[in-house]
Amino acid sequence: MRLHKLEVTAFGPFADTIEVDFDKLGADGLFLLHGDTGAGKTTVLDAVAFALYGRVPGARNEGKRLLSDHAPAGSVPQVSLEATVSGRRLKLVRSPEFSRPKKRGSGSIVENAKATLEWLDGRGENLSRIPDIGDEVNRLMGMSADQFFQVVLLPQGEFAKFLRAENDERGKLLERLFDTKKFVSVEAWFDEKKKASATALANKEQAVSLLLARVETAAGLEVGAEAHPLEWSRKLLEESRDGRDTTVVEMEGAKAAAKQANQNLHVAERTADLVRRRDRALLDLNALNAGAADLALVTGELATAKLAQPVAAIARDAESAQTAVASALVAVESAVSKYSARGGPDLFGGGVWPQQEDEREQVLAQVRAWRDEIVRLDSVVEESRNADAAESETRTLSVRHTALTVRAEEIVRERAQLPDQLRTVATELDVAQRAEASLPGLELARAAATDSATAAHELRGVRKQAEAVRVKVLDAREVHQEARGRWLDRVQTRIEGMAAELASSLEPGDACQVCGSPEHPALAQPATDSATEVDVETAAVRERAAESALSAVVEQESALALEIDRLIARGGEGDLEELDRLRAEAQAAVDTARSKANQVGELVSRLAVLNGRDTELEQESATVSTESATVAERISALTIRAQEIRAAIVTAAGEDSSVAVRRARFEALALAASAASEAREDATRAQTRAVELSAKLTDAVAEAGFDTVPSALDAVRTPTRIAAMEAEVGKARDREVAARTVLDDPDVAAVQDVTTVDVDGPKQVAIERGEAVNTAVAAASLAANRVADLERFTAQLETAYEAVAPHRALHDELAALADVIAGKGQNNRKMSLRSYVLASRLEEVALSASVRLQRMSGGRYEFVHSDEAGSRGRRGGLGLDIRDDFTGVVRSAKTLSGGESFLASLSLALGLADVVAAESGGVVLDTMFIDEGFGTLDADTLDSVMGVLDELRDGGRVVGIVSHVDEMRQRIPSRLHVIRGRAGSSVKVIAG
């Protein structure tokens, strides 16, 4: 990279435009950048950095105040740089973000940053987007902004800090210069893999732990594994198998003893049961023999009662039949009496009993005659209902005929009035349509009148506010001018007394903060009127507060002026009463027009209805006439039909008062005759059945062996008594059979001589043997289950352990590698991968810097890179010491003197520039700057340093030295002098 031309406008301390021709200034390859403190030497370097990267180095970038305070209001800060980068000549123009006063009114607005890139070699498309320009500059430069600030703009003070810094601080700077992101990502990748592997391994080992817990539970233990998990599990399995075999042997012995005891108990219980059965059978036979006579009486009574049962049933039926005959005769008398009371003909011979042979046929013939007459009368009644319906319809049609006559007269009158209605509605519609057409214009007029009247009312209040604010502006401007004058006075006094303030802090032998010289022949003396930094800052705070207050009231005044102009433009300057009157008139006109316009739709509909109304009325008149004639004809026909039906009804009623009365009389006679006939038939049937049952009872008594009916009835017993006797006889018979069956049993006969049997002894022995068996079976089952569980869990444990083993080995290997990469574990130097890379870069820097340091120190000093770990576990690899060839001792860089520290810092900066340039793809840095520090060197050392700087010019490189030292001006003829002024700084180019 080679710089050609720099233009700076309203940037930093430069109020006007300055130009720096680096081609002319660096013709000899070396030039000096000098000037008073605060003149803007560093700002020149900042301008180069800003043109390339859009930012300035260090904390100055945080302030975001790049616009010159000395520049006139409205000035635009801008930096223009022509340079050749990677063989491409280009021009970069940048303007930072800044605040400027508003063009109208008070206050300020923020202008966004802008940038352009122009290819001066004519190749490629010019750029205007800041991100695109940044990407292109980074591509061409091959380094980031932080690398550029360290490599091209060598800040000697920062490298002195780097020289004396601890490993961690030195690492932070190196990480800014060398891209270690990929190595950081490698460390993070290994760390993530280690954590994931640990999690996966823990999950897999959790299954092993769970199986170990299951083995412990199955074995009935409360302690963990005493040895290797698999060996311990196998040992428990073998022990459980031995225990299982022992319990099986014990269980078999217990079962054999229990079997023998149960057999003994069974024999004793069988013998005792046979003895009990024998004794019980003998007792039953003795009891039956004692009650044999009583049982014979019961058996005879039971036989007689069973013979009397059929006779008793027939006797009950015969008695019921006689009762039914008596009831039937009473019903006959009642039914005949009811029929006679109806006044019908004598059909039953005056009630003679029994009934005649043809009586039934005569009654049925008379009932059929009455039923036929009832059917004929029902048809007459139906015709009566038809007559009622005809008369009702006649009345309804008469009402309809009257209504049709009235409607015909109304139609005639309405058709006569229709022409006048059409003319009236058409006139009203025309008026409404004209009002609707005028409504938009009237609304616009109303809006204008309303806006003018409102503006007039608002204008009065705003003018009063503006007058009050104008007074505030005058007062605030006076206060601000006074505060700014006091602040400028404090600044001037502070600048004039700054030399004395710096001199007061010097001690004999200290380096001057301005020139760097340890000798102070003429110290500046303080003036009588002095100002401290606190005084200047206090005055500045007051000035800014006054400026803010002034800006606020000026902005308020401008806003009110704009509001007044706006209100006047709306017509607010007119007479207030006249404007209110015009607004009211415009509103009234709009209301009237809108009211009429709202009627247009209704009137259009009414007119359409009236236009078609005449045709509708004509059609309706014809319909009404036709319907009226039809109704009149129907009324006449219905009247004749009703009269004919009424005459037929009178004839059908005969001697009765009406058809309904005649029908009811015939219906009652038919029902009464039928009821009497049925009652006489029922009585005849009941009398016949009674005779038959009496004969049957006589026969049944003879068949059962009884002499008379009463004797048979005396032998009858209740069902309960019969069942009791049958049960008693059956029970006695069953007891006898059961007892003889028991005594005939051979087993019972075999124990006929046995009197008592002992059962309790064998039973107790059997119980004890059974409990022993249960205990043994439970123990054997528990042992077998334990063996099964241990076999299953041991197999699962072996499988799980074998499955986890490769993962555990792989995790151990991965964890060890991750720890080494992170600077832990077996990494004795405590160097992470990132630190190792930085240490490698630092070693390259130390080698490159040592070459120059040996030249500048006359072969005495060289850098020594140390990769030892730091104290208390701090990372290693970034140690940097000095070897003194005069003594052969390696010592800390902190022990160097001021001049020696400058030599070491400069060598370190140049070495770092070489390494970063190589790291950035071998970018050729044709222009570089070295800032301050030369005042600490003696003449001989300065000659050595200048010799090294002369070497930097080889190959066409241009080196800029930033220094206050007067001797540097004598040694370097080409200079860029930055001149400080009250109205801003300027530059002067002095070519050698």
Side-chain angles (χ1 to χ4, degrees), residues 474-556:
L474 294 177
D475 294 340
R477 183 172 285 115
E478 182 177 355
V479 171
H480 174 254
Q481 290 174 351
E482 293 177 358
R484 184 168 181 79
R486 287 194 297 272
W487 173 66
L488 292 175
D489 291 341
R490 294 290 88 193
V491 170
Q492 183 64 32
T493 303
R494 171 70 172 161
I495 293 173
E496 292 174 353
M498 189 171 293
E501 183 177 340
L502 293 174
S504 65
S505 63
L506 288 175
E507 296 293 337
D510 289 348
C512 177
Q513 299 180 24
V514 177
C515 65
S517 174
E519 298 179 359
H520 320 295
L523 295 175
Q525 300 300 319
T528 56
D529 182 16
S530 62
T532 64
E533 185 177 356
V534 175
D535 295 335
V536 174
E537 182 61 26
T538 301
V541 170
R542 292 174 180 173
E543 187 274 336
R544 288 194 293 271
E547 182 182 13
S548 299
L550 175 60
S551 298
V553 293
V554 168
E555 185 174 356
Q556 186 178 2

Side-chain angles (χ1 to χ4, degrees), residues 83 106 144 386 409 428 490 522 527 532 674 729 820 828 845 871 877 928:
S106 60
S144 66
N386 292 337
E409 295 174 353
E428 293 176 355
R490 294 290 88 193
T532 64
S674 297
V729 173
V820 169
N828 296 327
V845 171
S871 60
M928 63 187 305

Side-chain angles (χ1 to χ4, degrees), residues 222-271:
E222 296 182 356
V223 295
E226 300 174 353
H228 189 277
L230 292 180
E231 295 176 358
W232 175 72
S233 177
R234 291 164 183 162
K235 177 182 177 183
L236 291 178
L237 178 59
E238 291 301 322
E239 292 176 351
S240 65
R241 286 171 176 169
D242 293 340
R244 178 196 59 188
D245 296 341
T246 301
T247 57
V248 169
V249 172
E250 293 175 351
M251 179 184 68
E252 293 300 329
K255 285 182 177 181
K259 181 178 180 181
Q260 184 61 45
N262 287 331
Q263 289 176 353
N264 296 336
L265 175 61
H266 178 70
V267 170
E269 289 178 341
R270 174 65 175 167
T271 302

Side-chain angles (χ1 to χ4, degrees), residues 760-926:
D760 294 337
K763 184 176 182 181
Q764 182 63 33
V765 173
I767 291 173
E768 292 174 355
R769 296 293 186 270
E771 291 176 352
V773 169
N774 291 337
T775 302
V777 169
S781 176
L782 179 62
N785 291 336
R786 179 174 296 169
V787 170
D789 290 342
L790 287 174
E791 287 176 346
R792 184 172 69 258
F793 293 146
T794 299
Q796 294 176 359
L797 181 62
E798 291 176 351
T799 302
Y801 201 83
E802 292 174 359
V804 170
H807 295 281
R808 183 182 294 106
L810 182 62
H811 170 73
D812 292 342
E813 181 180 359
L814 177 62
L817 180 58
D819 288 342
V820 169
I821 291 175
K824 303 175 184 177
Q826 299 178 4
N827 190 335
N828 296 327
R829 300 183 184 278
K830 304 304 179 184
M831 292 173 59
S832 65
L833 179 62
R834 173 180 49 183
S835 299
Y836 177 79
V837 173
L838 293 177
S840 175
R841 296 293 184 270
L842 182 60
E843 186 174 9
E844 295 176 10
V845 171
L847 291 174
S848 178
S850 293
V851 174
R852 292 188 172 88
L853 181 58
Q854 286 179 335
R855 288 285 308 278
M856 289 188 286
S857 64
R860 180 177 180 179
Y861 296 116
E862 67 175 339
F863 288 105
V864 177
H865 170 246
S866 173
D867 57 3
E868 294 296 329
S871 60
R872 292 188 294 277
R874 295 179 181 175
R875 68 178 179 180
L878 300 181
L880 194 63
D881 296 324
I882 297 292
R883 175 184 286 111
D884 187 346
D885 285 345
F886 286 7
T887 62
V889 176
V890 176
R891 54 192 174 98
S892 171
K894 297 178 182 179
T895 62
L896 296 176
S897 66
E900 291 171 340
S901 295
F902 170 72
L903 295 179
S905 299
L906 179 59
S907 300
L908 196 59
L910 295 174
L912 186 61
D914 292 340
V915 174
V916 171
E919 178 76 11
S920 302
V923 176
V924 179
L925 303 175
D926 295 320

Side-chain angles (χ1 to χ4, degrees), residues 378-562:
D378 285 341
S379 65
V380 173
V381 172
E382 182 64 27
E383 286 297 321
S384 175
R385 285 194 287 270
N386 292 337
D388 294 339
E391 291 172 352
S392 176
E393 185 178 358
T394 300
R395 290 191 295 271
T396 302
L397 291 174
S398 297
V399 174
R400 177 59 180 164
H401 187 268
T402 302
L404 291 172
T405 303
V406 173
R407 180 55 186 157
E409 295 174 353
E410 291 175 351
I411 291 173
V412 172
R413 288 195 298 272
E414 187 175 353
R415 294 187 68 184
Q417 297 171 357
L418 195 57
D420 293 338
Q421 294 178 353
L422 283 170
R423 285 191 294 272
T424 300
V425 173
T427 301
E428 293 176 355
L429 177 60
D430 183 62
V431 172
Q433 288 175 339
R434 287 200 297 272
E436 184 180 30
S438 65
L439 188 58
L442 293 174
E443 288 178 339
L444 291 175
R446 180 196 60 183
T450 300
D451 187 59
S452 297
T454 303
H457 284 281
E458 293 177 0
L459 184 59
R460 288 187 175 184
V462 173
R463 279 178 169 167
K464 291 180 181 179
Q465 295 178 19
E467 182 60 28
V469 171
R470 188 182 66 81
V471 175
K472 293 181 181 179
V473 169
L474 294 177
D475 294 340
R477 183 172 285 115
E478 182 177 355
V479 171
H480 174 254
Q481 290 174 351
E482 293 177 358
R484 184 168 181 79
R486 287 194 297 272
W487 173 66
L488 292 175
D489 291 341
R490 294 290 88 193
V491 170
Q492 183 64 32
T493 303
R494 171 70 172 161
I495 293 173
E496 292 174 353
M498 189 171 293
E501 183 177 340
L502 293 174
S504 65
S505 63
L506 288 175
E507 296 293 337
D510 289 348
C512 177
Q513 299 180 24
V514 177
C515 65
S517 174
E519 298 179 359
H520 320 295
L523 295 175
Q525 300 300 319
T528 56
D529 182 16
S530 62
T532 64
E533 185 177 356
V534 175
D535 295 335
V536 174
E537 182 61 26
T538 301
V541 170
R542 292 174 180 173
E543 187 274 336
R544 288 194 293 271
E547 182 182 13
S548 299
L550 175 60
S551 298
V553 293
V554 168
E555 185 174 356
Q556 186 178 2
E557 183 184 31
S558 300
L560 290 173
L562 289 174

Side-chain angles (χ1 to χ4, degrees), residues 16 65 123 128 137 149 206 325 402 407 422 497 501 512 554 568 577 591 617 701 760 831 884 897 918 933 973:
D16 300 324
R65 285 182 55 83
R123 294 183 291 118
S128 60
V137 170
F149 298 156
Q206 185 177 6
V325 168
T402 302
R407 180 55 186 157
L422 283 170
E501 183 177 340
C512 177
V554 168
I568 291 174
E577 295 180 357
D591 292 343
L617 290 174
V701 169
D760 294 337
M831 292 173 59
D884 187 346
S897 66

